[in-house]
């Protein structure tokens, strides 16, 4: 059982992506203790090059004043890639909570260097989701991370 309710919501998104035939990465954007955007990786489902979990959560949060992003926390099941980290920086999101970074370490150093607080939980559910997916679909995983 995942103790953090927001990470649990991100995991639910990741599991939804897996049920849809996609990559099991999920994310939620939280502002003042409320989820204002949730999403999951939809690259496969939508034939998209940009709909990673974090990007989908931001898209689903809708247009918001800049102050909202500057007070928000992004929860994601996997360490954010360069594109998603760029969006975090662009919108000034000050805090990112990562489910795990063992299967992929994204741009955490960049985020920290730019003043973002990064917490990595090493949640076993997040790790299991990615390890099982990578073992079952290595070509799709390598396509998603550009290798």
């Amino acid at each position: 059982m995942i103790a953090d309710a927001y990470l649990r919501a991100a995991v639910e998104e990741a599991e939804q992506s897996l049920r849809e035939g996609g990559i099991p990465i999920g994310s939620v954007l939280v502002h003042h203790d409320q989820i204002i955007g949730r999403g999951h990786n939809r690259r496969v489902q939508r034939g998209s090059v940009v709909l990673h979990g974090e990007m989908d959560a931001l898209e689903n949060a809708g247009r918001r004043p800049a102050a909202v992003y500057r007070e928000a926390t992004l929860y994601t099941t996997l360490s954010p890639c360069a594109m998603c980290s760029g969006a975090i920086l662009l919108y000034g999101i000050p805090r990112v909570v990562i489910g795990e970074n063992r299967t992929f370490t994204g741009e955490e150093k960049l985020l920290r260097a730019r003043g973002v607080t990064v917490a990595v939980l090493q949640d076993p559910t997040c790790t299991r989701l990615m390890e099982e997916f990578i073992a079952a679909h290595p070509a799709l995983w390598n396509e998603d991370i550009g290798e």
Side-chain angles (χ1 to χ4, degrees):
M1 181 70 171
I2 300 169
D4 187 296
Y6 301 126
L7 183 61
R8 190 171 347 137
V11 168
E12 289 168 3
E13 289 293 323
E15 292 169 338
Q16 178 63 31
S17 183
L18 194 58
R19 283 191 296 276
E20 294 171 357
I23 300 162
I25 302 169
S27 185
V28 296
L29 184 65
V30 177
H31 181 256
H32 291 238
D33 296 321
Q34 287 196 321
I35 295 174
I36 61 170
R38 52 175 59 232
H40 52 271
N41 190 299
R42 295 179 195 252
R43 287 187 60 256
V44 174
Q45 301 92 312
R46 299 238 178 118
S48 172
V49 299
V50 296
L51 278 182
H52 286 193
E54 300 90 339
M55 302 299 279
D56 195 39
L58 288 168
E59 176 70 17
N60 290 329
R63 188 172 170 198
R64 304 277 177 159
V68 170
Y69 294 105
R70 289 192 297 265
E71 297 173 342
T73 299
L74 184 74
Y75 287 77
T76 182
T77 59
L78 186 66
S79 185
C81 72
M83 175 182 65
C84 296
S85 294
I88 291 163
L89 295 173
L90 177 67
Y91 289 101
I93 297 169
R95 184 167 184 256
V96 177
V97 177
I98 299 168
E100 70 98 359
N101 68 356
R102 290 185 178 132
T103 58
F104 175 75
T105 302
E107 299 296 328
E108 294 169 28
K109 288 181 184 177
L110 170 65
L111 291 172
R112 286 184 178 107
R114 297 283 298 273
V116 176
T117 301
V118 177
V120 182
L121 304 181
Q122 300 304 10
D123 178 77
T125 302
C126 295
T127 303
R128 179 187 50 77
L129 276 169
M130 288 312 304
E131 286 177 345
E132 290 175 2
F133 178 80
I134 291 167
H137 307 282
L140 181 55
W141 172 244
N142 288 331
E143 173 190 318
D144 193 49
I145 63 168
E147 291 189 12

